[in-house]
Amino acid sequence: MSGDLVVLDRPERLSTVVRPTRVPIASEGNSIDAADSPHRGRHGATAAASLKASIRGLYDLTKPRIVMMILITTGMSAMFLAGTDLSMWMMMHLMIGTAAVAGSASVMNQFIEREADAKMMRTMKRPLPSGLVSPGAALIFGITIGLLGTAYLAINVSQSTAFVGVATWVGYVMLYTPLKQKTAWNTTVGAIAGALPMMMGFAAAGGSLTDPRGWLLVAVLFLWQYPHFMAIAWMYRGQYADAGFKMTPVVEPTGKSAGWQAIAGALALPAVLITLVLPYNYAPLFAVLAVAASFGMIRSSFRFCGSPNDVTARQLLMSSLVQLPASLAVLIAARLLG
Ligand code: HEM
Ligand SMILES: CC(C)=CCC/C(C)=C/CC/C(C)=C/COP(=O)(O)OP(=O)(O)O
């Protein structure tokens, strides 16, 4: 999910073990052989550098940027329900537990996709295809932080939060990830997994899993992912096809289907936002703000659908990255000021 830097490397450098003799330049996600290093012979320094690089590789496997985005959306959802009653201790526990479970999901996703990731320029520098981390180490790490994170949420936040976390993990790792190679419907399943952390935040703030407000919050993030991901899927359609991923623009190359899906998500989103702000004071004002926050992404979706190309797709991706924080800000403002 992240926009990894692509540094040239040989994809045939696939490895099944962490290579103790290689000193990777972790910041570049690249690596060089110890034999090339001027520090050859300084075993302590070499071992320390190798350990540091392996730790950095495990950290990168968690996809820290998507974890950060998930934490922001989860936290905003909790804030929307709790308002000024929000407990900072609860938030801290929610962030720690959710980061571990979401990080685990990303590690497992890359463990399963390590061969496909080696075929895409966008992902071939990741820790598994580049050989920085062994599949065995990734598997143990992913399972360990997933179990610890789930237990942490159940003990320190609530059992319902932990339950939704597990459902999200299963949806992402066991459904979305294998479906990417089978059907373009994978995006719908991935969007459900991407949106469920909203329900984790809602449940953490004391919300019931049957409260429609929680599901409206889930719907916000679910719908947003269509324009967000259709733009990305168009830009990387060649790489996705090479890696065997059946994204919409791969199976329907005109881009029209991707365009219509982007439009549908972009248009439905403000309707859900308006429904959420209706109960609060100044609802008409916040409804107008919700439409204003959505306008750029709606316009970009129509432009993309009318003429699917790399420029309109990039504009759509950019507008999606503005639209999400703007929408969340409108919701929080309605809750706190309305
Ligand atoms: C079906 C679900 C999703 C898919 C398949 C997806 C995929 C991606 C991909 C491949 C990129 C990299 C684009 C590039 O390299 O140019 C990206 C970027 C991004 N995504 Fe998503 N995403 C999804 C859901 C989400 C969700 C739920 C969030 C927020 C909670 C999110 C936030 C972002 C952000 C902020 C970026 C830009 C920064 C970055 O590259 O890390 N995405 N997404
Ligand atoms: C709390 C918890 C368990 C959260 C996990 C949910 C999660 C990580 C959602 C991310 C959304 C998503 C489908 C991203 C794309 O992955 P991708 O595999 O298509 O991205 P890639 O091609 O960059 O690997």
Side-chain angles (χ1 to χ4, degrees):
M1 118 102 264
S2 61
D4 308 67
L5 278 179
V6 175
V7 183
L8 285 180
D9 192 8
R10 300 201 311 268
E12 66 271 21
R13 279 187 157 183
L14 292 177
S15 167
T16 50
V17 290
V18 175
R19 297 179 176 182
T21 53
R22 292 169 81 203
V23 184
I25 303 168
S27 62
E28 297 175 357
N30 206 348
S31 62
I32 56 175
D33 290 333
D36 302 335
S37 167
H39 301 295
R40 183 167 35 146
R42 291 186 189 172
H43 294 298
T46 306
S50 183
L51 178 66
K52 199 175 157 197
S54 297
I55 291 171
R56 174 64 198 242
L58 291 176
Y59 172 77
D60 287 345
L61 272 180
T62 62
K63 301 189 190 170
R65 280 190 295 182
I66 181 64
V67 169
M68 188 52 71
M69 284 307 295
I70 287 170
L71 293 185
I72 291 170
T73 52
T74 306
M76 291 289 176
S77 183
M79 207 182 284
F80 182 77
L81 183 64
T84 49
D85 294 336
L86 191 68
S87 155
M88 283 303 137
W89 278 112
M90 183 282 287
M91 276 293 259
M92 187 194 77
H93 290 314
L94 177 64
M95 297 293 114
I96 292 171
T98 304
V101 180
S104 161
S106 292
V107 175
M108 298 305 291
N109 166 268
Q110 287 169 91
F111 171 78
I112 295 166
E113 291 183 342
R114 58 193 185 279
E115 286 176 12
D117 277 353
K119 294 178 189 154
M120 297 196 288
M121 284 281 281
R122 187 175 70 79
T123 51
M124 63 169 58
K125 292 303 304 173
R126 286 180 173 178
L128 282 167
S130 68
L132 184 58
V133 174
S134 72
L139 186 63
I140 293 168
F141 177 61
I143 291 172
T144 304
I145 61 173
L147 291 175
L148 288 176
T150 304
Y152 190 93
L153 287 174
I155 294 166
N156 297 299
V157 183
S158 71
Q159 289 190 0
S160 57
T161 306
F163 171 76
V164 181
V166 171
T168 310
W169 191 99
V170 169
Y172 183 63
V173 177
M174 302 180 77
L175 298 177
Y176 169 71
T177 302
L179 280 177
K180 282 168 77 177
Q181 317 240 14
K182 293 190 167 56
T183 164
W185 284 97
N186 72 70
T187 301
T188 302
V189 176
I192 295 171
L196 274 177
M198 294 295 257
M199 188 50 101
M200 292 175 71
F202 191 79
S208 156
L209 299 190
T210 57
D211 188 328
R213 288 174 301 167
W215 292 107
L216 285 170
L217 289 168
V218 170
V220 168
L221 201 50
F222 173 78
L223 294 169
W224 172 83
Q225 286 172 88
Y226 278 90
H228 171 70
F229 186 62
M230 288 305 149
I232 291 166
W234 172 266
M235 292 190 305
Y236 295 109
R237 65 194 183 287
Q239 293 187 38
Y240 279 128
D242 289 347
F245 290 136
K246 295 194 164 47
M247 302 309 184
T248 298
V250 173
V251 300
E252 199 286 289
T254 69
K256 288 293 173 193
S257 178
W260 282 113
Q261 290 184 48
I263 288 174
L267 282 178
L269 189 43
V272 178
L273 292 172
I274 290 169
T275 312
L276 276 162
V277 301
L278 272 186
Y280 298 102
N281 290 328
Y282 318 116
L285 169 67
F286 290 114
V288 170
L289 290 176
V291 173
S294 308
F295 182 74
M297 197 168 78
I298 294 173
R299 189 178 52 188
S300 303
S301 296
F302 274 102
R303 282 185 180 158
F304 172 66
C305 189
S307 174
N309 59 55
D310 284 349
V311 173
T312 54
R314 174 67 58 187
Q315 279 170 352
L316 179 55
L317 174 60
M318 290 305 150
S319 64
S320 82
L321 298 179
V322 173
Q323 208 268 359
L324 185 59
S327 302
L328 295 175
V330 171
L331 290 178
I332 298 301
R335 178 66 177 84
L336 296 180
L337 309 173

